[in-house]
Amino acid sequence: MALNERHKWMAANAASSFGVQDRIIEDYIGEYNNLKKINDFLEGRSKHRHLFIYFQRPDIPNEMGELVDAKGDPKVMITTGEHEDMRIKSRAVFFVRANDGAAEHGEKKPIRLDVPSDGELLFGEMAASPLESLNTGLLSVFQPLIGVPASIDVESAVSNCDSDQAVHFRAEFQRFTTDLSEGVRSLTDGVELPSPEASDVDVRTLPPQDVARDHPKLVEEYEKLLETWCQQIEQYLEETIESQQKDTGDPGPRTELDFWRMRLQKITSITEQLRTKERKQVFNLLQSIAKVNQDVAVQSRQSIFNTLRRWKQVDIGITEAFNEAKDNVKYLTSLEKFIEPLYVSSPATIIETLPALMNAAQMILTISRYYNTTERMTKLFTKITNQMITTCKACVLEGEESEALWTKDRLVLINNLDSCIKLNMAYQEQYRITKETLQKLPKGKQFDFSETLIFGRFDLFCRRVYKLIDMFQTIQQFTSLSQHRFDGMEPLVDSFKSILVAFQTKRHDLLDFQQNKFDRDYVQFNVRIQDLENNLRQFINQSFEQIASIEASLKLLNKLQSILQGENLRADLESKFGVIFNNYGQELNQVQDQYEKCKTAPPLVRNLPPVAGHITWSRHLYKRIEGPMHKFKCNPAILASKEAKKLIRMYNKMAKTLIEFETLWYQAWVNSIEAVKSGLQATLIIKHPEDGNRFHVNFDPEILQLIREARCMNRMGGIKMPEAARMMLLQEQKFKVYNSELSFFLREYRRVTQMVKPIVSTMMKSHIENLEYKMRPAMVTLTWTSMNIESFFVDIWKELDKLEQLILTVNDLMENRVDANLKVVSNVLLVNLPDDNELVSLDEFVEMQERHVEHTTNFLVAKSLEIENAVNDMLAIMVAFDFDPHVQGITESEIIKVKAQYNYFLYQALLNATKRSLRVMKLRLSSNYREGAAQAPAFFEVDLQLDGVGVRMVPAVEEIQAAINGGAVAVLKCSKRIDAWDTVTIPKNVQLILNPNLPPVQGTGGQGTFYDRIAADKEILKVVLLLTGSVQSTKNNCEQYLTKFKDYEWCWKDDIAKNYKKFIEGEPTLDDFEVKLKYFVGLEKEVEKWNPTHQISALMLQTTSLQKSLKELANTWKEAFAKELHKDAYAKLEQVFEMVKRTRKRLLREVTSGDIDALAYVMNTLQEVRQKESEIELEFIPIEHMYRILDENLPNSLGKDEQDLRSMYKKNWDDLLSECEEKQKDLALYQIQYRKDLIKTVNTFKKDVVQFRATYERNGPMVKGIPPREAVERLKRFREEYEVRGRKQEIYYVGEDLFGVPHQQYPALDQTKQELGYLGTLYDLYVAVLETIKEYKEYNWADVPEYMETMQKTIDSFAGRCKRMPKQLRDWPAYGELKKEIEDFQEVLPLLQELGKPSIMPRHWQQVMEMTGKELPIESDDFKLSALIEANLNEFVDEISDICEGADKQLVIEQKIKEISQQWEGLFFDFGGWKQRDYPCILVGAKVGETQEILEETMNQLNTMNAQRHSIPFKEELTALITTLSDTGDTIEKWFKIQQMWTSLESVFTGGDIAKQMPMEAKKFSQIDKDWVKIMQKSAETKLVVPCCTNDMLKQMLPVLGAGLESCQKSLESYLEGKRNKFPRFYFTSDPVLLKILSQGSDPESIQEDFEKLFDAINRVQFDKVDKKKIMKILGVVGSAVESVDMVTPVMAVGNIEDWLLALEYEMQRSVRKECRNAAIMCPQILNGLTLSEFGNQTIAQVSLLGIQLVWTEDFQNALTRMAVNKDKKVMGEANRKFVQMLSDLVALCLTDLGSKMNRTKFETLVTVHVHQKDLFQDVWKMVKQGLVKDQNDFEWLKQTRCYWKTDQDHAVVSIADVDFVYSYEYLGCKERLVITALTDRCYVTQSQALGMFFGGAPAGPAGTGKTETTKDMGRTLGIFVVVTNCSDQHRFRDMAKIFKGLCMSGLWGCFDEFN
């Protein structure tokens, strides 16, 4: 298969990678399978987006089954990488599709194959290790790109996320690459302990003493190996610790965790290596040898002792290192989630995580065994500080370099810098809080770390940040000044810029806080800025002096106050306030003067109406005096003076005047509203007579003016709007919409009407009038207040759309179907001229023109018809328009006028095409062909040829001119076949629209063609005349050129033989011959030098043929003169020899009596010899002469035979003369008798000829009326008779010559010969046809198909011969019959071919017989083709074709039915056992599913076939098959459904308690079970699907079994529902679990495993040792630890299981309540004689937790109460100390061995909850100190989760805000609790409020944020069992109803996870 560009590009890349030639890869790729894989991949048919190419040796398995390289050369392998048997060994090339971003949503886009490379396909290489390649690519390529924020591609990828997410993504990506790199390195960088070498000694089977004695080298080798291990491990342990201590740069805390993880991984690797069998063997052997008798190898034994002792130390060291690494990884991993924000979050976010970070660090310090040293903790905090500084720098820089800080947004930059300082403060504050917390626990570990080491660098960094904030605030101040563009500020700004540039040029790294040079330059910068601020103060003073406007002064003052930050500058600004107030009085006077001056005609704001403008002007003046006054009021000191009071009075007076002015204008406007409203009663549209009756919208502008006034008044506010104005304002939108809609409609109306083309404008007039009629209501009845304007708009728009659509359709027809085609016609070229450089012969030119003219004429005729149809369609569309009855339609004259116009357009197009074509031909032939060209390129190829007379041009000039003339005439005649349109009669389709009930009027016929009009055009005639003489002018030039060849005329004009004869007559010598030959050679060379072409005007004369002819002539002359002599000599010699030989043979012929032929023959021979004898010597002399010349000049030119002839010819002649004399004597005796016999025979022959002719005319084949077959027989007979007489005629003619008798004539015989010749031509073919067809008819029909091709070829050959028959024979009857026979057989042959197909069945033959009415025994062995031909099949061609086509389709259906039947005959079921039953009793589900899929597919196919009309013959079979398979499908479905019911009920009713409680159902199921087993065994014997499913027993029993099982199922469901009603917790179990529990209810011990499904934490119960039915305790089990609760009253597990489970639930709650009561009594004693350890050990985990909550609540509330009531200031501190002490004790307990995992969980949970309690107390304590919390009723206390023991109720109560919950006493076991956060508290408050109002809750948030766990934790706080349901789309309403029932009846909580 051929490779395209894309394949070659892929091959080239692969070849380059593998270092081989492209061809090698291309050859492999070109293989079929490989190319198919690649094409599937490129075209998107492969499911993979990638493709690998390997070039390596294939893998083959060796004897051990391992894969090794095969022998031979590497091969190319193409794979997707999925096959395990194709692994990469050295290098691979991969290609990846880059355009399947949409593959996920649909089909994949094919990759272009015609281009080598584009962005659709990516290419790359991969090393032998893909993991290494991935690591290298990520580290070296992608990480640098993604790590740079300025990377365009990366930023575009994260453009939809915020910056925090982008930072987080980069951090996670970097972390992933680092982890991958470390992982890869760990695979190779580990400590590899050498393995012991293989040995022949099996040390496991030999005693140690034997090994030590017999194999000392092996022992020594093992000892050295152990020492090597010791050395490697010791070296690694020392190196790793040293490398950790040499951290460089500013490493973050993550490096610490990475170090310990890597160390743990490598140590683990070492320990795993040591556990291998071969290494254990080393230890075992050495240890065994160390224990053997001292007599054996004393020296080696001592050495082994030393080595083992060293190993023991190493083993201890590595164990300790492993424990250390494992412990450190454990605790540092817990810290990981808290240090993660340091890398990915902003400083502000980090602050929020600091408490958790410190708590985690505190936990490590407190709990960790190895990492809690001062050195390591200090190092950890130092790394945390380093990372904070790094994050702060990143926050400030935002991914850019330090120099970019100067260009950043300074406000954002200052904010970022400030966040760094806040982070430092928060960090140190949190550190000190944690430190103080630890100090309150003196026994615990303390934060006694060096704060200088930890915070020193951060403090130094923050000092730099303070300076930067000050600097950038200064820069912001001056930048703001420059942006406000104060006049005269430029010098100051320029000075500041120079100061700033001077500082910037020093190129300090602003965040490099360890560089002191910045600090010195910073001081200098501040000094210069101080001088600049002094200059600024002077500028401000000057600015205020220059401003006269009060408003401007105040604005400037405000602006400067917002900009300037310096204290001195702000003080100066305050002093300017008094100066401005003094100028305010002058402002009042100016306003008063302006009012008086302009009150009659004030200046109005642009676009404001008059009234609103006047009011706005007055309000502007008012605000001008009011604004400053309001600002002055803010400074009471200024308004207190006497002068100020005077100004206030002036202000009040002016304000009153302005308000009155506004009122007057407002009232005048109110009075004018009614007058304006009357304009709404006008009509919508009017026609204006002055502009041509154009339509205009009749809308009064005063209405809009009124609305504008109302709207402006409304916006100004403070003005009461009149109702009329308000109503008009509310209708503003409506009026505007109406006005806009009408204006837009009229614009559209004008646009649409202007779209009408001029040619159809008169016809479209009626359509426009129709639209205007629809618009009439707007001019007559509709006003602006009418209610039906909307419907009017709908009507006119609909009508306009209809008109526009019509115009668009008409224009589209005109442009695309009429004008476009007219343009095509106009541009058609009616001549086909060759290219400039192409030469054509005359025949080619004529053929080109004929072909082109024929094709173009047909094209133009089609175009004419197409254009006419388009015009008719356009007219029909316009006429078919739906006019209103009141509008007059289109007249017939307008229709005819338009069509006539387009007829004229077509004529113009044809005229242009004709002119253009003739001009193109003329231009091509003219001498001025192209401007600048020296000569027109040749057009015709003219060959110079010899014709025997002279040199002639082929074709001749006259022929060329005639061809051109013919071409011009042909161009004109193109239009002769194009009929002009009928422009008198209306088109038929238009007539049918105008008068649909009348038949269309026929036209008067064609209007002639366009030829007459085009041919009469003057320009056409002019061009034609020029063309007709275009070539004639070149004739003289051609003739003149041909005269140069006259010198060579003798070559072709002179006769060689004559010249030779003349030459011979001159008796030339041998020298004359040589001279003559040299002359001919020179002529050849001269001709070769001629130029092969010569152009004359448009003719290119080709001399090649002439050259060849002349050279051949010269050569012929030369050979003739050279050979003629030899030829003549040899011919004469051979002639003499042949003459002698021939004469001798003729003399030997025997002459008998009456044999005139023989006698004449011999006599003629003797006469010839006598004549020859006298002249023979004359022949001999020239022969000798010529051979002598040849011998001298052409030696060795004679052959051996010729030499023999030359030597013998004279002797042969002499012998012949002797023989002639003897023969002459013999014949003389019989001569007279021979003559008499001849005369007699001739006379008899003459009579016979006359008689033969008469018989021929009477009975010959030319007799009229005889049948052709008889004529054939006669022709045959008379042809034979004629041949006999013709031979006699010839013999008698010779005898007459011999004896001198006159020749006799036989005209009748000659006439007969001629007639027989004609008839033979016809009847020979006739006989051949008849005999061939007769032979075909005798073929058996079964053999016909194999001869079909031969028959077709033979008949076609006969038909060709028949067509070529002479014209005079075509009138003969035989010719007609012959032609009919051939045509009939040709017509029937295709039908025979169709009927011979394998798809033709007897039923189809039956159809053929019914159609033809003939009996066709097709199945008979003797059935011949003749029977079919006689059935006249050619009369039913179409019907038989339909039958054959249907047969083909029926064959396909029949084969498909057969395939389906065979498929289902072989399908079978798989049967299996069920549980304890080892015999077949169920159908295997997978096989059933597969069968159902096949069945569904089969049914679809059958239904499709059944719907086809060709399936009628198979209807019964199809219907039966569909019915069978449909029944089979139904049976399978029913069968499998019943099986599912049987399997679910079998275990229920075949044993257990349920069967005893439901005896009737059990008995019923027993019978069903027997029947089920019976039918399954029967089916298992059959196995086949269809027989199984159609088995009557199965079909009868399945419904019965189904009904019985459904009855049992319903009874069972009712039974289970009853059980659930009694014990509601059963609602939370599935039916199978519940059935299991109920079936084992009589044996309580057997359901121990099911208690945890019914209770929150009861794993098992403990029965009495004596009475096995009595439950004494409930147990919670965690591993091997058990927590028990004694029952207050033992529960008897007797009776129905639901009853004693209900009793167990009740007693559980009583028992837990008792435990709570005891704990409440113990709580006051905690830390007062009762330690927390004792309290915890004496109570269960649940109660211990409740106890410390009771203590905390009691002490907390007591402290608040005493503080509020008794004003006890110490009580809060005492309570805090108690809580801190409790926490310290609990933490200390956690550091001890608590005995079990359960105990540790218990005390760690106490720590978790109490940490939160202590933190809450301290927070509230802070609020108390701040005075925010006063007493115990404050919400900050009430919102907490508070636990009380209410003695009066004897219940534990949990209070949250104002909602109280009674503790539910569900046994909760020993489980971990969530760390309580502020969010948890908010959730508790929200949920409790909802529950208090009898609502539920629906926590929402992202996945994994703790919604479910928080809900469960709140339930545990309240002692409630929370039932968690994981929702999915499989849940149904019945399932949910069951859960809701259980929740309502049991009082538990339900948590529906993933409820959405």
Side-chain angles (χ1 to χ4, degrees), residues 501-544:
V501 169
F503 188 85
Q504 288 176 341
T505 53
K506 296 180 181 179
R507 304 183 65 81
H508 292 297
D509 184 348
L510 301 183
L511 295 178
D512 186 1
F513 55 89
Q514 294 177 340
Q515 182 188 11
N516 296 329
K517 189 178 178 182
F518 169 84
D519 300 317
R520 294 195 298 273
D521 292 337
Y522 170 73
V523 173
Q524 185 180 358
F525 173 79
N526 275 347
V527 171
R528 297 184 66 184
I529 290 297
Q530 190 64 41
D531 296 339
L532 191 61
E533 286 185 348
N534 292 334
N535 296 335
L536 177 61
R537 190 179 295 109
Q538 296 176 7
F539 170 78
I540 291 171
N541 293 335
Q542 292 173 2
S543 297
F544 277 105

Side-chain angles (χ1 to χ4, degrees), residues 1440-1452:
I1440 292 175
S1441 297
D1442 288 343
I1443 291 171
C1444 295
E1445 182 183 356
D1448 292 340
K1449 295 180 179 178
Q1450 287 172 4
L1451 181 62
V1452 174

Side-chain angles (χ1 to χ4, degrees), residues 1859-1872:
V1859 182
D1860 295 336
F1861 300 89
V1862 176
Y1863 197 80
S1864 292
Y1865 307 108
E1866 177 79 16
Y1867 174 64
L1868 304 176
C1870 183
K1871 298 178 182 176
E1872 292 183 347

Side-chain angles (χ1 to χ4, degrees), residues 1611-1626:
S1611 301
L1612 184 62
E1613 286 174 357
S1614 301
Y1615 169 78
L1616 294 180
E1617 185 69 19
K1619 297 295 183 183
R1620 285 178 169 129
N1621 283 332
K1622 290 183 179 179
F1623 186 61
R1625 295 195 183 202
F1626 281 157

Side-chain angles (χ1 to χ4, degrees), residues 147 185 347 429 606 758 1023 1837 1853:
R185 192 176 57 170
E429 176 65 21
R606 188 180 64 173
V1023 176
W1837 163 243
V1853 175

Side-chain angles (χ1 to χ4, degrees), residues 80 255 493 651 706 791 803 814 893 896 904 1074 1114 1196 1243 1330 1343 1430 1469 1484 1525 1578 1587 1654 1718 1851 1871 1889 1952:
T80 56
T255 59
V493 173
Y651 163 77
L706 174 63
S791 60
L803 177 61
M814 291 168 67
S893 61
I896 291 173
Y904 175 74
E1074 188 175 359
N1196 303 322
N1243 291 331
L1330 291 183
D1343 301 328
E1430 290 166 6
F1469 285 123
V1484 176
L1525 293 182
K1578 183 72 175 174
L1654 304 173
N1718 295 337
H1851 273 300
K1871 298 178 182 176
Q1889 290 297 306
F1952 297 94

Side-chain angles (χ1 to χ4, degrees), residues 35 206 309 353 393 756 772 782 820 847 1089 1119 1204 1251 1257 1298 1362 1394 1406 1596 1641 1682:
L35 191 58
L206 296 175
R309 189 180 299 113
T353 66
K393 287 183 179 180
V756 178
E772 290 180 356
L782 292 177
E847 185 182 355
K1089 296 178 182 178
E1119 289 181 354
D1204 293 341
Q1251 186 180 357
E1257 289 177 350
L1298 182 62
C1362 183
E1394 289 292 323
Q1406 187 61 37
Q1596 290 170 7
V1682 178

Side-chain angles (χ1 to χ4, degrees), residues 109-123:
K109 177 184 172 186
I111 291 176
R112 291 181 60 189
L113 302 179
D114 56 343
V115 297
S117 175
D118 54 20
E120 295 181 350
L121 190 64
L122 305 181
F123 156 75

